[in-house]
Amino acid sequence: MIDNELNLILCTEMSEVDRTECADYLGNTGYINFSEVKINGADIFSGSSKLEQELTVREQNETPTLNMYFSIHGISSAWEANSKEKYVLKDNQHATTFVPAFDGYYALSSPEVRNFGISLYESFFSRLYSTDLECLKRFWDKVDAGQMADISEHALPITPKQQSIINDMHHCVYTGNMKQLFFESKITELFLLQAEQADALNGAKPVKIERHNVDKLHAARQYIQQRMFDPLTLNGIAREAGLNEFMLKKGFKELFGLTVFGYLNELKMNYARQMLLETHCTVYEAAYTMGYNEPYNFSKAFKKHFGYLPGELRK
């Protein structure tokens, strides 16, 4: 099996994909692939675009909405029509924002942009109300007052766990009420992960990495994905990506929210989980594939990562 067979790479299967040519009010044009799922209380979308220049679209919405937005690749921004202050999301960043209403603009500012988003309406987001975390208390206080609110002061890096949930939503196999329940559970899980991350990184400064290094760090991550069962070293990964070790270690953690080998472990554990769910392999076979000589050590590491033993997946 390879990564693509186990759906470790983001792809779009939520619905029929529409490829349309778009033009903004300035006359700039580009092609956008867009897919969407609508459930009770939520709209879920995924998009990718190829642009020759920035594309800006006007948006007006009078419905209170909680938006969970993930910038997988490229730069996106939004701003109110009567304000010059832009909210910008760069590569591998996400944000959760409540807007009582919106009259402004959205812009796609990179030659290639891939994004994923969820718009929640009151019938849904009211069920997410919790003040157990300080960031949530501040967030819901503003929501209750009808004010614009962000779950975090700064954009946050998309973690592998968040990416894994996004991938699950792209590959939903359920229909009818099961489909509704599936998306409700995944959206709730994703929101909780965002809140936990925002609380843990409260006050942390936003990532500031030069654009050419961002591209190299993405190349490093792709190299790790493609070679995750090879004996990898920091020096080898840095050399392949055209970085020095210091920038690889520092930039990788800032951009992706994990160390290089923390990300590698995340990849392997997710791979093992999908092997056990989607094939007839045994725990021993999964352990061997992950490079463990003893199934016990693999089971221990698996439980530490997911909170349950690998054998429990099939009960």
Side-chain angles (χ1 to χ4, degrees):
M1 287 178 291
I2 59 175
D3 292 349
N4 289 346
E5 291 173 339
L6 289 180
N7 303 327
L8 291 179
I9 306 301
L10 177 71
C11 57
T12 304
E13 295 180 2
M14 293 194 306
S15 65
E16 292 296 324
V17 179
D18 295 322
R19 185 174 190 269
T20 58
E21 183 176 10
C22 298
D24 66 10
Y25 71 104
L26 296 174
N28 300 327
T29 60
Y31 287 96
I32 297 178
N33 294 327
F34 187 84
S35 62
E36 186 176 36
V37 166
K38 291 181 178 292
I39 62 171
N40 292 334
D43 297 336
I44 308 159
F45 72 88
S46 178
S48 63
S49 59
K50 291 186 178 295
L51 311 168
E52 293 185 0
Q53 50 197 324
E54 183 176 79
L55 190 70
T56 304
V57 295
R58 183 70 181 266
E59 177 79 15
Q60 293 176 302
N61 180 22
E62 296 182 357
T63 304
T65 309
L66 192 157
N67 295 305
M68 303 161 65
Y69 190 89
F70 297 80
S71 178
I72 308 298
H73 183 77
I75 301 173
S76 306
S77 57
W79 65 97
E80 293 276 357
N82 59 357
S83 172
K84 294 183 179 180
E85 184 177 353
K86 285 188 176 183
Y87 197 112
V88 180
L89 285 181
K90 300 180 181 180
D91 298 87
N92 206 70
Q93 291 185 336
H94 70 90
T96 295
T97 303
F98 170 78
V99 288
F102 184 77
D103 181 6
Y105 300 90
Y106 291 107
L108 305 177
S109 306
S110 301
E112 293 189 28
V113 177
R114 297 200 312 276
N115 50 42
F116 176 85
I118 303 168
S119 295
L120 302 179
Y121 306 108
E122 190 169 8
S123 62
F124 194 121
F125 71 67
S126 61
R127 289 179 278 151
L128 300 176
Y129 186 90
S130 170
T131 57
D132 294 339
L133 300 176
E134 187 61 33
C135 69
L136 287 178
K137 185 178 186 305
R138 293 193 301 268
F139 181 77
W140 291 116
D141 282 348
K142 288 188 175 181
V143 173
D144 289 341
Q147 301 173 1
M148 182 175 177
D150 294 304
I151 205 168
S152 172
E153 183 180 350
H154 306 297
L156 301 171
I158 300 172
T159 67
K161 284 186 179 180
Q162 293 164 353
Q163 182 69 75
S164 179
I165 294 172
I166 292 171
N167 286 348
D168 288 344
M169 283 194 274
H170 276 87
H171 297 90
C172 174
V173 297
Y174 298 106
T175 59
N177 290 335
M178 291 292 287
K179 178 180 178 181
Q180 178 78 25
L181 291 172
F182 172 83
F183 279 114
E184 285 181 355
S185 67
K186 291 298 178 182
I187 291 169
T188 301
E189 185 178 3
L190 195 55
F191 178 80
L192 292 176
L193 286 175
Q194 289 182 288
E196 289 177 348
Q197 185 186 20
D199 194 65
L201 297 178
N202 182 34
K205 294 181 179 179
V207 175
K208 291 184 179 180
I209 304 173
E210 293 181 359
R211 182 71 216 180
H212 68 280
N213 282 330
V214 168
D215 292 338
K216 291 178 180 179
L217 289 164
H218 274 281
R221 186 174 68 162
Q222 185 175 11
Y223 180 77
I224 295 168
Q225 290 172 350
Q226 294 170 342
R227 304 291 185 90
M228 66 175 175
F229 296 118
D230 293 350
L232 296 173
T233 65
L234 285 173
N235 181 266
I237 297 168
R239 185 173 60 250
E240 286 291 332
L243 294 163
N244 59 50
E245 282 192 43
F246 175 79
M247 177 50 68
L248 173 65
K249 291 190 290 185
K250 180 177 182 294
F252 201 96
K253 179 67 181 296
E254 288 187 357
L255 185 59
F256 301 120
L258 282 174
T259 65
V260 170
F261 289 107
Y263 177 70
L264 178 61
N265 182 65
E266 188 88 25
L267 277 180
K268 287 185 174 182
M269 285 296 143
N270 284 333
Y271 192 100
R273 180 177 179 273
Q274 288 186 263
M275 278 185 67
L276 292 165
L277 285 172
E278 299 177 10
T279 74
H280 298 291
C281 77
T282 64
V283 172
Y284 175 82
E285 290 169 332
Y288 180 79
T289 301
M290 296 303 110
Y292 288 86
N293 293 323
E294 294 292 337
Y296 171 79
N297 292 332
F298 166 69
S299 295
K300 185 177 178 181
F302 191 97
K303 184 174 182 179
K304 181 179 179 181
H305 188 80
F306 290 110
Y308 51 84
L309 292 169
E312 294 179 34
L313 283 172
R314 291 173 175 169
K315 290 183 179 180

